[in-house]
């Protein structure tokens, strides 16, 4: 038969050079630059638009909800596209489309105050801007959809290029983590700088104050970096024309419904796969509150500021900028850890490195609780500036957390890629399934936050006060 003869005569596939794997992972820098801006600036920004602090965290619910569906769906679709069906292969069209969604979203978020004014918002300080909030929410949901639509196929793209080689898979994911660190450094440094409105004076408008203009300017920079890094990734290397066991073990799965295939694939999982998913889920229960409220914690607990109180607004923004600086230091250590991660895994084993990093993460979170307690019971000077020791302790904790975060961004994905590939499942679907282990704990965290809001603000729903 012609097909077996051609298969027998086919030369062995050449491995993709590491330098091309490095370029293929570069889009993580552009995506993470915008993500860093989200984490450092958007929680304070939504409170400026008039969303109370107790409900600000609910805005972030769109992240896990979109990740719950978008990343598995995009992974499933990219698995089912034949490499020859598109000039860019099966992963890169989704990477490019996701990057375009991110660019559109950050423009929407950055200009939400201006668009809200066109809808008739009252721009008096302290008032709730309903139009801007609605525009912001649309842009924020689109931003999370774009993030999930980009990162999932990029992880699967790297897994395809490494061809089930555990060492090269770890290296590729370490490259991805390194670019995430670089994006974090650039993003947090951008968020910590308060003078962007001088460089982009057109961003200051009657409806957009200086802090808003800095946010808008930072997102314009994000678009530039995102376009550059996306082009580098898309043009880096041609995708392989065959993908081993993606469909060999499960013929006919292309006819199955998406949700059935997603949940039906669980029956193929071995114990090591389940352990990766369970540990990932437990780890993100700890990570997500920190990622969501890190700069807000610095502004409120350490600098004793509040975006709701005009007398404490400046202190709050000083704390947010200091938190952004701490996250920049965090990203420096994240990048260094990504560089040495492969050597650590070869020496100690990936499982031991991951376990030690989770213990270090837990100790750092305990240290944050201690710092909060000490800060609440200290006498601040009349200027309101927090004692230097408290600030340094907070920055040290932020910095140390960069090491376990680098490992969280790398090892679980490498483990999932190598173990799921052996089961004959597509890498896109595999990354989507791993993402479920990340977003489900986020949903649990939000339900916990929602219950806290209910009990702490139950008078809002008291019929006797209506």
């Amino acid at each position: 038969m012609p097909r077996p003869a051609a298969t027998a005569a086919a030369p062995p596939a050449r491995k993709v050079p590491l330098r091309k794997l490095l370029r293929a992972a570069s889009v993580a820098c552009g995506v993470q630059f915008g993500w860093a801006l989200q984490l450092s600036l958007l929680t304070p920004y939504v409170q400026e638009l008039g969303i109370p602090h107790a409900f600000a965290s609910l805005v972030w619910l769109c992240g896990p909800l979109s990740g719950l569906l978008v990343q598995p769906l995009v992974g499933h679709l990219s698995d089912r596209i034949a490499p020859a069906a598109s000039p860019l292969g099966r992963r890169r069209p989704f990477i490019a489309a996701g990057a375009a969604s991110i660019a559109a979203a950050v423009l929407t978020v950055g200009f939400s105050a201006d668009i809200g004014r066109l809808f008739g918002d009252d721009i008096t300080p302290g008032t709730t801007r309903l139009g801007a909030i609605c525009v912001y929410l649309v842009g924020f949901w689109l931003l999370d959809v774009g993030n999930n639509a980009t990162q999932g196929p990029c992880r699967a793209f790297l897994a395809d290029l490494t061809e089930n080689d555990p060492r090269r898979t770890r290296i590729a994911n370490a490259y991805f983590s390194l670019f995430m660190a670089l994006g974090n450094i650039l993003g947090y440094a951008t968020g910590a700088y308060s003078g962007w409105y001088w460089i982009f004076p057109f961003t200051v408008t009657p409806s957009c104050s200086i802090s808003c203009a800095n946010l808008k300017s930072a997102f314009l920079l994000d678009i530039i970096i995102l376009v550059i890094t996306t082009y580098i990734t898309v043009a880096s290397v041609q995708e392989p024309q065959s993908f081993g066991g993606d469909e060999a073990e499960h013929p006919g799965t292309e006819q199955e419904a998406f949700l059935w295939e997603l949940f039906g694939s669980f029956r193929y999982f071995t114990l090591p796969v389940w352990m990766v998913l369970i540990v990932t889920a437990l780890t993100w229960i700890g990570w997500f509150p920190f990622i969501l409220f890190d700069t807000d914690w610095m502004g409120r607990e350490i600098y004793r500021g509040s975006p709701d109180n005009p007398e404490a607004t400046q202190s709050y923004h000083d704390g947010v900028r200091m938190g952004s600086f701490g996250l920049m230091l965090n990203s420096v250590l994240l990048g260094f850890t990504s560089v040495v991660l492969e050597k650590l895994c070869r020496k100690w084993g990936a499982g031991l490195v991951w376990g030690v990093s989770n213990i270090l993460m837990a100790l750092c979170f305990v240290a944050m609780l201690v710092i909060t307690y000490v800060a609440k019971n200290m006498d601040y000077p009349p200027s309101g500036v927090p004692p230097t020791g408290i600030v340094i302790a907070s920055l040290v904790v932020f910095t140390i957390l960069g090491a376990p975060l680098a490992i969280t961004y790398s090892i679980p994905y490498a483990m999932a890629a190598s173990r799921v590939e052996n089961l004959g499942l597509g890498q896109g679907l595999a990354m989507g399934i791993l993402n479920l282990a990340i977003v489900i704990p986020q949903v649990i965290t939000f339900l916990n936050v929602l219950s806290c809001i209910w009990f702490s603000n139950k008078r809002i729903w008291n019929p006797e006060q209506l």
Side-chain angles (χ1 to χ4, degrees):
M1 297 293 291
R3 186 172 179 178
T7 302
R14 295 181 58 187
K15 292 185 177 181
V16 176
L18 293 181
R19 66 180 184 277
K20 291 190 175 182
L21 289 179
L22 183 69
R23 293 201 295 267
S26 62
V27 71
C29 177
V31 174
Q32 199 66 20
F33 183 95
W35 185 240
L37 294 177
Q38 273 186 270
L39 297 175
S40 60
L41 300 178
L42 289 190
T43 294
Y45 180 61
V46 296
Q47 294 173 72
E48 288 185 19
L49 295 180
I51 299 178
H53 178 259
F55 293 94
S57 61
L58 296 181
V59 174
W60 292 81
L61 183 60
C62 64
L65 288 181
S66 65
L68 193 66
L69 180 62
V70 172
Q71 197 164 130
L73 176 60
V74 170
H76 170 81
L77 293 176
S78 66
D79 283 341
R80 290 296 168 257
I81 294 178
S86 166
L88 295 178
R90 61 177 184 172
R91 310 292 188 193
R92 290 177 292 171
F94 291 95
I95 296 173
S101 300
I102 294 173
V106 297
L107 284 176
T108 303
V109 170
F111 286 84
S112 58
D114 299 304
I115 299 173
R117 187 188 179 200
L118 297 178
F119 291 158
D121 279 351
D122 182 359
I123 61 174
T124 304
T127 59
T128 299
R129 306 184 188 184
L130 183 59
I133 291 173
C134 292
V135 174
Y136 171 86
L137 291 176
V138 171
F140 193 81
W141 277 79
L142 180 61
L143 183 56
D144 273 292
V145 168
N147 284 334
N148 282 291
T150 305
Q151 292 200 49
C154 189
R155 295 274 193 182
F157 183 37
L158 294 175
D160 291 339
L161 296 177
T162 56
E163 299 177 348
N164 200 25
D165 183 329
R167 177 179 174 273
R168 291 171 63 83
T169 300
R170 288 198 303 269
I171 292 175
N173 280 278
Y175 286 160
F176 195 88
S177 180
L178 177 62
F179 276 111
M180 291 179 75
L182 179 59
N184 278 335
I185 293 171
L186 296 174
Y188 292 132
T190 301
Y193 181 60
S194 59
W196 290 114
Y197 68 98
W198 286 103
I199 302 174
F200 302 98
F202 64 89
T203 57
V204 180
T205 63
S207 56
C208 191
S209 63
I210 290 177
S211 60
C212 169
N214 282 325
L215 172 73
K216 192 188 303 182
S217 302
F219 275 147
L220 293 176
L221 293 173
D222 176 38
I223 294 176
I224 296 173
I225 294 177
L226 182 65
V227 169
I228 294 173
T229 55
T230 302
Y231 174 78
I232 293 173
T233 291
V234 171
S236 61
V237 61
Q238 291 292 327
E239 296 185 36
Q241 294 302 303
S242 62
F243 295 89
D246 277 5
E247 297 180 12
E249 296 187 19
H250 308 295
T253 53
E254 67 275 10
Q255 304 298 326
E256 297 181 14
F258 161 65
L259 288 178
W260 168 248
E261 182 169 357
L262 173 62
F263 293 107
S265 62
F266 292 165
R267 67 182 182 269
Y268 300 110
F269 287 179
T270 59
L271 180 60
V273 175
W274 279 112
M275 293 303 297
V276 170
L277 297 179
I278 292 171
V279 174
T280 299
L282 294 175
T283 301
W284 276 96
I285 289 177
W287 274 121
F288 193 67
F290 170 78
I291 290 175
L292 183 59
F293 290 111
D294 39 28
T295 57
D296 186 70
W297 173 79
M298 186 75 80
R300 289 180 179 273
E301 303 297 336
I302 305 304
Y303 278 74
R304 295 181 178 176
S306 173
D308 307 321
N309 183 357
E311 297 180 356
T313 299
Q314 186 58 46
S315 296
Y316 178 77
H317 286 296
D318 290 343
V320 168
R321 283 193 293 272
M322 184 59 69
S324 296
F325 176 70
L327 292 174
M328 184 185 69
L329 298 177
N330 171 288
S331 301
V332 172
L333 184 58
L334 192 157
F336 174 78
T337 305
S338 300
V339 171
V340 302
L341 185 57
E342 171 57 23
K343 292 183 179 179
L344 292 176
C345 290
R346 286 206 308 265
K347 184 176 181 180
W348 294 337
L352 178 59
V353 171
W354 192 15
V356 171
S357 75
N358 289 338
I359 294 174
L360 180 60
M361 174 198 72
L363 293 175
C364 287
F365 291 157
V366 171
M368 290 181 68
L369 294 176
V370 173
I371 292 172
T372 301
Y373 176 81
V374 172
K376 285 184 177 180
N377 291 276
M378 288 186 69
D379 293 328
Y380 281 24
S383 63
V385 178
T388 303
I390 290 293
V391 175
I392 291 177
S394 302
L395 293 178
V396 168
V397 172
F398 272 42
T399 303
I400 293 175
L401 281 169
L405 189 59
I407 294 168
T408 302
Y409 284 157
S410 178
I411 287 182
Y413 293 94
M415 285 185 167
S418 60
R419 285 162 172 77
V420 171
E421 178 72 19
N422 293 331
L423 301 177
L425 302 176
Q427 288 293 348
L429 187 61
M431 294 301 103
I433 291 172
L434 182 62
N435 192 60
L436 292 179
I438 297 174
V439 300
I440 290 177
Q442 295 178 18
V443 174
I444 294 173
T445 301
F446 275 118
L447 292 177
N448 182 52
V449 170
L450 185 61
S451 65
C452 292
I453 292 173
W454 172 268
F455 288 112
S456 62
N457 299 277
K458 57 185 177 181
R459 287 190 300 271
I460 297 176
W461 294 278
N462 189 346
E464 296 180 359
Q465 297 183 357
L466 298 179

